[in-house]
């Protein structure tokens, strides 16, 4: 039987407010709380909550015949805890059914795997700890930000102890080979590689409600017939997509939830198909060969490369300036700075700076809350400049900065003393007035 590996990814960044040049050094709060809460609540109500309710009903009805996997970033989970705790509760209910596997991720959906192994390791460990705290699972399988993968990144992931990694079944990598098998990393064959069947995945994730699509309308019966017609020797069909495909990208009115329910029922009834989690695929199937990926790939855009995040000079400059601070951050013990450092690493900030206005331009613009990629770049660099000032205060880079930091701390201490003295003065004045009033009454 062919395994159907159904995987959903969830990520929402902490979006920055409009942070002006004159805010640098004066205002250290970078986030648009109103937008963040509104977006999380909206997508939770339209997508995550109804989809989780449906999956819970399917799991209860079908038992261990229904399986699904999730990769949820740490920053998304943080926002659920802040703005939509009912989403966390719904995932915890799903977890108790035994049908769900949670995968490892970078905490803030960062590009750290491309730059710094220590920052990458810290992000992954932080995410693992959060998954265990909320859902009681220790992830075995890794899914990198935007499914970014290369032989070298795979080797790093293997050294962190993961048994497998998910990535894109990119045509220019596989050539004549099929994504519907289990592969191994070219450097460390102990790491198994599951490759997304992008055509069948995108039929649901992107084309389901497109009335101009020649296969529209897509029914569960039609889709399962496609799954069953995949070559007899193929062993696993990896259907990987964003969870917001259900209810947001593909609206409820288009019938996407009914489709998901019918799809699960059709697969369970099939004599040739079954649901499996990534870990089950890794445990049960034998890899057929090595997959060689010398240069990093992703699941984004036509090129399936890194150009969505690092394709222009603005993106590269912002990326380099961010990670130029990694050594200082390694010496930093300030909790607030570490929190902002994690949020600053989110790949979304670089995505907003993309100038790809051709085949993928509309999609890039639709995800950004900035009017242009240039505005996104300026805003991010302003935030980064303020962050650098704060970091230099706590972890000076040079003797000059050390003296400046010392003077800055002395000024802060003096300001605190002045505030305390002013408060004491107001208290004494108030006491004196009360005594004067009391004497006059007598």
């Amino acid at each position: 039987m062919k395994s159907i590996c159904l995987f959903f990814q969830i990520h929402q960044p902490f979006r920055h407010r409009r942070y002006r040049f004159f805010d640098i050094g004066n205002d250290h709060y970078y986030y648009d709380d109103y937008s963040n809460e509104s977006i999380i609540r909206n997508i939770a109500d339209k997508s995550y909550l109804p989809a989780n309710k449906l999956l819970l009903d399917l799991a209860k009805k079908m038992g261990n015949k229904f399986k699904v996997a999730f990769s949820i970033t740490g920053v998304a989970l943080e926002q659920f805890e802040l703005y939509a705790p009912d989403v966390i509760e719904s995932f915890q209910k799903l977890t108790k059914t035994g049908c769900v596997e949670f995968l490892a991720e970078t905490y803030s959906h960062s590009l750290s795997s491309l730059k710094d192994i220590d920052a990458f390791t810290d992000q992954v460990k932080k995410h693992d700890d959060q998954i265990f705290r909320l859902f009681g699972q220790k992830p075995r399988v890794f899914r990198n930000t935007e499914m970014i993968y290369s032989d070298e990144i795979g080797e790093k992931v293997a050294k962190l102890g993961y048994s497998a990694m998910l990535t894109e079944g990119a045509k220019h990598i596989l050539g004549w080979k099929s994504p519907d098998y289990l592969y191994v990393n070219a450097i460390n064959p102990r790491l198994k590689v599951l490759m997304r069947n992008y055509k069948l995945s995108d039929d649901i994730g992107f084309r389901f409600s497109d009335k101009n699509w020649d296969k529209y309308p897509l029914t569960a019966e039609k889709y399962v017939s496609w799954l069953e017609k995949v070559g007899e020797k193929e062993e696993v069909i990896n259907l990987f997509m964003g969870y917001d495909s259900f209810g947001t990208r593909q609206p409820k009115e288009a019938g996407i939830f009914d489709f998901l329910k019918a799809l699960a029922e059709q697969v369970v009834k099939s004599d040739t198909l079954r649901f499996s989690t990534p870990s089950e695929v890794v445990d049960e199937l034998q890899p057929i060969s090595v997959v060689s990926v010398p240069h990093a790939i992703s699941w984004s855009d036509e090129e399936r490369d890194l150009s969505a995040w690092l394709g222009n000079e603005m993106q590269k400059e912002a990326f380099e300036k961010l990670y130029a601070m990694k050594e200082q951050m390694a010496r930093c013990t300030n909790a607030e700075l570490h929190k902002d450092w994690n949020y600053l690493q989110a790949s979304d900030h670089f995505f907003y700076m993309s100038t790809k206005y051709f085949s993928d331009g509309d999609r890039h613009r639709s995800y950004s809350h900035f009017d242009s990629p240039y505005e996104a770049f300026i805003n991010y660099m302003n935030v980064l400049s303020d962050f650098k000032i704060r970091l230099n205060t706590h972890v000076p880079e040079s003797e000059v900065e050390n003296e400046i930091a010392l003077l800055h701390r002395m000024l802060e201490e003096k300001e605190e003393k002045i505030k305390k003295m002013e408060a004491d003065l107001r208290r004494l004045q108030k006491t004196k007035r009360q005594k004067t009033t009391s004497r006059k009454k007598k």
Side-chain angles (χ1 to χ4, degrees):
M1 295 181 77
K2 293 185 187 68
S3 290
I4 304 300
C5 189
L6 193 60
F7 161 82
F8 300 122
Q9 193 264 335
I10 297 174
H11 168 61
Q12 291 294 328
F14 278 95
R15 293 163 181 83
H16 289 157
R17 65 181 178 86
R18 295 300 194 272
Y19 192 84
R20 311 301 182 188
F21 174 79
F22 296 105
D23 291 327
I24 299 171
N26 296 311
D27 187 344
H28 305 316
Y29 194 76
Y30 312 132
Y31 309 104
D32 187 341
D33 292 335
Y34 176 78
S35 291
N36 288 326
E37 182 174 5
S38 299
I39 290 168
I40 287 292
R41 234 3 300 175
N42 181 58
I43 199 168
D45 292 336
K46 281 187 174 181
S47 179
Y48 303 150
L49 289 172
N52 276 0
K53 183 179 183 304
L54 173 58
L55 295 187
L56 183 62
D57 291 342
L58 291 172
K60 288 179 177 178
K61 179 181 177 182
M62 300 174 181
N64 62 6
K65 292 182 179 179
F66 179 72
K67 305 287 176 64
V68 65
F70 286 96
S71 174
I72 313 175
T73 63
V75 290
L77 289 167
E78 269 194 56
Q79 290 183 83
F80 292 152
E81 289 187 288
L82 281 171
Y83 307 128
D86 44 348
V87 174
I88 297 287
E89 291 168 8
S90 67
F91 274 111
Q92 289 170 336
K93 288 179 182 178
L94 261 179
T95 306
K96 290 177 182 178
T97 67
C99 76
V100 176
E101 178 179 4
F102 288 97
L103 308 191
E105 250 263 19
T106 55
Y107 187 87
S108 62
H109 206 60
S110 78
L111 302 174
S112 55
S113 63
L114 303 170
K115 190 64 178 177
D116 183 71
I117 184 60
D118 292 328
F120 177 61
T121 302
D122 288 346
Q123 286 255 326
V124 174
K125 184 180 184 306
K126 186 176 175 65
H127 181 265
D128 267 11
D129 290 345
Q130 192 181 38
I131 292 296
F132 186 78
R133 175 177 67 85
L134 290 173
F135 308 118
Q137 288 192 17
K138 173 70 175 171
R140 292 180 53 204
V141 177
F142 189 80
R143 187 266 187 194
N144 199 15
T145 302
E146 302 294 338
M147 291 209 179
I148 292 173
Y149 176 84
S150 68
D151 297 335
E152 185 179 350
I153 292 171
E155 183 190 26
K156 292 177 185 176
V157 170
K159 286 180 178 178
L160 291 177
Y162 298 100
S163 59
M165 186 168 175
L166 276 55
T167 191
E168 178 75 344
K171 192 172 183 180
H172 70 278
I173 293 296
L174 288 172
W176 57 269
K177 295 179 181 177
S178 167
D180 304 327
Y181 292 100
L182 186 63
Y183 292 89
V184 296
N185 177 262
I187 299 175
N188 189 336
R190 285 181 296 180
L191 183 82
K192 310 301 188 295
V193 181
L194 290 89
M195 309 197 79
R196 184 175 86 116
N197 186 313
Y198 64 83
K199 183 186 179 302
L200 287 169
S201 298
D202 290 350
D203 284 344
I204 299 174
F206 289 100
R207 291 183 280 271
F208 178 82
S209 59
D210 182 2
K211 294 182 180 179
N212 295 316
W213 181 34
D214 62 352
K215 302 295 192 298
Y216 181 87
L218 181 61
T219 64
E221 291 79 9
K222 184 190 295 185
Y223 192 80
V224 169
S225 73
W226 296 346
L227 297 176
E228 291 177 330
K229 287 176 183 175
V230 169
E232 289 183 10
K233 294 183 179 179
E234 270 82 345
E235 298 175 320
V236 56
I237 303 173
N238 297 310
L239 303 177
F240 304 159
M241 63 199 80
Y243 204 32
D244 59 350
S245 297
F246 300 90
T248 304
R249 188 179 296 128
Q250 309 300 334
K252 176 184 177 182
E253 295 74 21
I256 189 65
F257 292 110
D258 294 333
F259 170 82
L260 179 58
K261 178 177 182 292
L263 172 63
E265 292 171 345
Q266 291 283 327
V267 169
V268 168
K269 288 178 184 177
S270 173
D271 294 329
T272 58
L273 305 173
R274 64 173 179 176
F275 285 112
S276 298
T277 64
S279 286
E280 288 175 339
V281 170
V282 170
D283 290 341
E284 295 170 9
L285 298 182
Q286 289 297 316
I288 63 159
S289 74
V290 166
V291 59
S292 179
V293 187
H295 305 291
I297 60 172
S298 75
W299 71 346
S300 184
D301 298 346
E302 293 283 340
E303 301 88 349
R304 303 296 200 265
D305 60 9
L306 306 180
S307 58
W309 309 277
L310 299 173
N312 64 45
E313 292 306 314
M314 293 186 298
Q315 293 168 311
K316 291 173 184 175
E317 181 182 349
F319 184 70
E320 291 300 326
K321 288 204 170 180
L322 172 68
Y323 283 104
M325 293 185 258
K326 59 186 175 63
E327 290 184 6
Q328 274 181 284
M329 283 307 305
R331 305 196 305 273
C332 179
T333 58
N334 183 275
E336 282 299 311
L337 281 169
H338 273 284
K339 182 180 74 172
D340 290 337
W341 168 249
N342 276 323
Y343 298 168
L344 279 165
Q345 292 183 68
S347 62
D348 308 72
H349 302 307
F350 306 98
F351 191 81
Y352 301 149
M353 302 174 201
S354 175
T355 50
K356 296 178 73 173
Y357 286 132
F358 298 100
S359 59
D360 302 295
D362 289 339
R363 191 169 73 85
H364 283 254
R365 284 193 293 272
S366 69
Y367 279 103
S368 178
H369 56 292
F370 293 101
D371 294 332
S372 74
Y374 309 102
E375 183 185 324
F377 171 71
I378 292 169
N379 204 79
Y380 185 78
M381 296 305 283
N382 286 344
V383 170
L384 211 57
S385 296
D386 185 81
F387 181 81
K388 177 68 171 174
I389 292 170
R390 293 167 57 206
L391 180 58
N392 286 343
T393 300
H394 288 272
V395 188
E397 277 190 301
S398 65
E399 281 301 315
V400 173
E401 285 176 349
N402 193 40
E403 289 179 15
I404 293 171
L406 182 61
L407 289 170
H408 186 77
R409 284 195 291 271
M410 288 172 64
L411 285 171
E412 285 182 340
E413 288 172 5
K414 285 183 178 180
E415 285 177 2
E416 285 299 316
K417 286 181 180 179
I418 290 169
K419 288 178 183 177
K420 185 178 183 300
M421 290 172 71
E422 287 175 344
D424 289 342
L425 181 60
R426 286 193 296 270
R427 180 175 53 77
L428 289 169
Q429 288 173 337
K430 183 179 178 181
T431 302
K432 184 178 179 181
R433 284 195 300 270
Q434 288 173 344
K435 287 181 178 178
T436 301
T437 303
S438 178
R439 283 197 297 269
K440 285 180 180 180
K441 286 181 178 179
K442 291 180 180 178

